[in-house]
Amino acid sequence: LGRSGETDAALSLYESVWVGYANRSGLKPTTRLMNAAIDACARARPTRTDTALRILGEAMEGGVVGDAARLRPNVYTLGSLMSCYARSRDADGALKLLREMDDRYGVRFNHVVYATAISACERSQPPKADVALKLLQEATSDPQIEMGVVGYNTAISALARVGDWQRAVQLLDEME
């Protein structure tokens, strides 16, 4: 539903699963369902970052049910949340989430999460090109992360948006 622009319907379905489970008359909430709800928030216009954060917090606490239904976020959960920050041009929120992922949530980031954080820097007003480059360097220096062309292109775009064509060309050369 969220992918087809029906954010309210997606969130209503998500909430109904929790209520049904609390009343012992429905399905048990899953991380996959939580991810779909957070993704719907990321795709909404305007982006519903506060709702996504509320969904994550409540799901980690077990919603209205408590410990029996606690959900653990995974890299897809936090990737969707990172998309909320990127789409709402909130580089600071994206960076905060990136720094908390491992410690707070026990989730290791991947190239997609890094590329999305770089995108948040590129989209912010004004663009945070230096931070985007730092994130790209961080990702490429980690042997467990294979940074793809999307991360590089987004960092190049951030440099172009601030008029730093020399470093953009240099980064393009590094890609080849």
Side-chain angles (χ1 to χ4, degrees):
L1 293 172
R3 289 181 182 248
S4 61
E6 297 183 47
T7 305
D8 291 330
L11 296 177
S12 178
L13 176 63
Y14 175 78
E15 296 295 331
S16 71
V17 169
W18 278 99
V19 170
Y21 187 70
N23 294 331
R24 301 186 193 284
S25 63
L27 302 171
K28 182 176 182 180
T30 64
T31 299
R32 179 177 254 170
L33 182 64
M34 173 182 62
N35 293 351
I38 292 172
D39 185 62
C41 292
R43 294 174 187 277
R45 294 296 168 259
T47 306
R48 299 183 189 181
T49 307
D50 291 339
T51 303
L53 290 168
R54 180 185 53 79
I55 288 169
L56 176 61
E58 289 175 358
M60 289 181 66
E61 293 172 5
V64 294
V65 182
D67 288 346
R70 273 188 194 191
L71 300 180
R72 292 191 45 85
N74 58 28
V75 71
Y76 300 106
T77 313
L78 299 172
S80 291
L81 191 53
M82 188 66 75
S83 289
C84 284
Y85 288 119
R87 290 177 177 168
S88 62
R89 303 173 185 269
D90 184 356
D92 294 333
L95 294 171
K96 182 179 179 213
L97 176 63
L98 191 67
R99 300 303 171 221
E100 290 179 344
M101 282 179 68
D102 192 22
D103 293 338
R104 184 171 180 187
Y105 302 112
V107 176
R108 179 126 169 87
F109 18 89
N110 61 15
H111 67 285
V112 174
V113 172
Y114 263 111
T116 308
I118 293 168
S119 177
C121 294
E122 185 265 338
R123 292 177 179 197
S124 72
Q125 297 294 333
K128 296 187 176 195
D130 289 331
V131 178
L133 276 181
K134 182 179 178 215
L135 290 174
L136 181 64
Q137 290 168 347
E138 204 175 282
T140 56
S141 68
D142 187 330
Q144 294 181 331
I145 297 175
E146 189 172 321
M147 199 65 189
V149 68
V150 173
Y152 280 93
N153 284 345
T154 307
I156 289 169
S157 179
L159 290 167
R161 288 195 59 221
V162 297
D164 192 345
W165 62 269
Q166 291 170 322
R167 285 198 300 173
V169 170
Q170 180 183 2
L171 188 55
L172 185 60
D173 288 341
E174 287 176 24
M175 282 177 60
E176 297 173 353

